[in-house]
Amino acid sequence: MKLMSARCGHVDVDIGLLEGGGINGNLRRVPSMCFIIEHPEGLVLWDTSMHPCVCTDPTGYWGRLATTVTVPQFSENETLLARLTQAGIDLSQIRFVVNSHLHNDHCGMNRFFPQATVLIRRSEHDHAVGLMDTGKHGYVRDDFYGDNQTVELIEYDDTYDIFDDGRLTLLSTVGHTPGHQSLQVKFASGRRFVMTGDALYTARQLATRQPPGLVFDRKEALASAGRLADLGEQGVTVLIHHEPTLWADKPDVATLWQE
């Protein structure tokens, strides 16, 4: 099995969204990370970053958010498709596309993998559909899945084992959104990684067990931050998608672990 990261552009995000304290107009550039897991039963994409329309018309696709609190820095050679080509990955082998949640910088290229099943948590899907295309909440209808794509809606209370073998396990980390989830990858040696999505934005939040600034339910988000911190204390490598220092020394496509 292999775990890879792919840096797919950046977003300039208001620090108030990242850390709390209210919108203040000060922006921090953060990476938009995706992950590829080579599992014996097929490739899994975890998060797909931004839609290619964001490269040329971010305001038209995202609305005013693209000029204020989440300003994309994204080019066509940084899309997930470009990164997969760079890595020499055969797209026909992608079995599942799975997202931490359905905000527009995490699922923008779901529809570009028509051969794959998009596995979506139902609580996240229903919430996103209720707010999509408003230009205010970060949910864009065309991001979720393609018109003829296979979609499987799932729901669970605590964990969901994608292949039923203990290797790829979804963990409920709600709070940032009602259906937010993280992904734990476990190798045969016992080495584990967990990708946090937006349950955490910074290394400091992991260290202090604090949630991100942007939350739907702060109590739930606080519990999710604590869950991820517990995993870190157990020796799990916690991969925070938008923490710049974590990815600064990594190439655009990197093998994080293989065995």
Side-chain angles (χ1 to χ4, degrees):
M1 206 163 68
K2 181 192 290 189
L3 171 63
M4 304 175 69
S5 64
R7 179 169 38 236
C8 298
H10 295 77
V11 184
D12 293 343
V13 183
D14 194 287
I15 293 175
L17 294 183
L18 295 173
E19 298 183 357
I23 303 302
N24 58 36
N26 295 312
L27 305 181
R28 177 185 299 159
R29 185 159 297 180
V30 302
S32 178
M33 300 301 299
C34 303
F35 298 87
I36 307 111
I37 304 99
E38 292 185 4
H39 183 279
E41 294 189 33
L43 284 170
V44 176
L45 299 181
W46 173 252
D47 280 353
T48 62
S49 190
M50 298 173 274
H51 193 283
C53 283
V54 177
C55 300
T56 55
D57 186 16
T59 306
Y61 196 74
W62 277 8
R64 291 186 63 249
L65 292 175
T67 65
T68 54
V69 295
T70 53
V71 181
Q73 306 294 331
F74 190 45
S75 62
E76 292 181 0
N77 63 359
E78 295 178 309
T79 68
L80 182 55
L81 277 177
R83 295 305 188 207
L84 293 172
T85 298
Q86 182 180 339
I89 290 175
D90 183 349
L91 301 186
S92 68
Q93 296 179 341
I94 297 170
R95 182 167 176 186
F96 289 116
V97 172
V98 194
N99 308 105
S100 57
H101 61 303
L102 295 177
H103 277 157
N104 51 17
D105 60 327
H106 288 264
C107 66
M109 295 202 71
N110 283 9
R111 64 170 48 244
F112 289 83
F113 306 98
Q115 76 291 344
T117 295
V118 182
L119 200 63
I120 300 180
R121 193 172 184 184
R122 183 179 292 276
S123 52
E124 180 67 14
H125 176 269
D126 292 349
H127 175 74
V129 167
L131 296 174
M132 65 187 180
D133 300 338
T134 62
K136 298 186 294 183
H137 300 283
Y139 293 111
V140 179
R141 176 196 314 256
D142 284 347
D143 284 349
F144 305 159
Y145 44 79
D147 295 338
N148 298 311
Q149 203 163 18
T150 300
V151 179
E152 183 177 346
L153 297 180
I154 62 170
E155 194 51 90
Y156 60 93
D157 292 326
D158 187 56
T159 64
Y160 182 91
D161 192 329
I162 293 177
F163 289 105
D164 201 27
D165 62 0
R167 298 187 186 195
L168 299 183
T169 305
L170 296 171
L171 311 177
S172 182
T173 49
V174 299
H176 176 69
T177 63
H180 192 284
Q181 56 192 356
S182 299
L183 177 64
Q184 178 178 269
V185 181
K186 183 177 181 180
F187 288 86
S189 66
R191 180 71 187 270
R192 288 186 290 164
F193 296 79
V194 63
M195 283 80 84
T196 68
D198 282 0
L200 298 167
Y201 280 145
T202 69
R204 178 174 175 78
Q205 287 165 356
L206 175 64
T208 60
R209 297 171 170 264
Q210 292 300 307
L214 178 62
V215 295
F216 176 81
D217 185 313
R218 181 170 175 79
K219 182 178 179 181
E220 295 280 13
L222 186 63
S224 294
R227 179 177 199 177
L228 293 167
D230 286 343
L231 289 172
E233 291 177 358
Q234 295 166 20
V236 178
T237 299
V238 180
L239 301 175
I240 303 170
H241 291 213
H242 295 309
E243 171 54 71
T245 62
L246 190 61
W247 308 106
D249 64 345
K250 299 286 193 302
D252 291 328
V253 178
T255 296
L256 303 178
W257 196 260
Q258 180 177 7
E259 62 179 63

